[in-house]
Amino acid sequence: ANVGKCIHYIGKFEAYQRTYVVQCYKTFMKYIYYVIMLKWEKYNQDKLFGSAIPYIKLSNLEDFSIPLPPLSEQKRIVHKVDKFIKLIDCLNQIINQAT
């Protein structure tokens, strides 16, 4: 159920077996997170291994292409996406209160 799940986390945590941690320098991690959230699931649809407990291989991550605009553009994109997410959250609250 959690195959390929992506979490943006700041701080210490424990990474377990078949957990891949992505660290990037000279890039905006939240931008990387948003790109992965947008494209990762579809990219991995035909790349899962195992049957009872599906998993991905490191090569899935290594071969995943992420477009990298200049850092200022990455920050601009993240800022806009964050604003849309806040708007969606507000709309969901309004909808939930109405029902």
Side-chain angles (χ1 to χ4, degrees), residues 61-97:
L61 190 55
E62 292 172 334
D63 295 340
F64 183 69
S65 178
I66 297 177
L68 282 179
L71 186 58
S72 60
E73 181 68 6
Q74 293 175 38
K75 289 181 178 183
R76 188 186 71 76
I77 291 167
V78 166
H79 179 70
K80 287 197 178 241
V81 172
D82 283 344
K83 283 175 67 174
F84 282 121
I85 289 173
K86 285 180 185 176
L87 177 62
I88 290 167
D89 288 344
C90 287
L91 291 172
N92 280 333
Q93 286 180 356
I94 292 168
I95 291 168
N96 289 335
Q97 289 174 355

Side-chain angles (χ1 to χ4, degrees), residues 28-86:
F28 195 40
M29 278 306 299
K30 202 161 185 187
Y31 168 80
I32 299 295
Y33 169 74
Y34 284 147
V35 172
I36 290 172
M37 292 300 293
L38 178 66
K39 299 181 177 196
W40 185 249
E41 186 176 338
K42 184 175 181 178
Y43 172 79
N44 277 305
Q45 281 179 340
D46 60 345
K47 295 172 182 64
L48 299 179
F49 296 90
S51 54
I53 303 175
Y55 62 94
I56 59 172
K57 293 184 178 180
L58 181 58
S59 61
N60 293 54
L61 190 55
E62 292 172 334
D63 295 340
F64 183 69
S65 178
I66 297 177
L68 282 179
L71 186 58
S72 60
E73 181 68 6
Q74 293 175 38
K75 289 181 178 183
R76 188 186 71 76
I77 291 167
V78 166
H79 179 70
K80 287 197 178 241
V81 172
D82 283 344
K83 283 175 67 174
F84 282 121
I85 289 173
K86 285 180 185 176

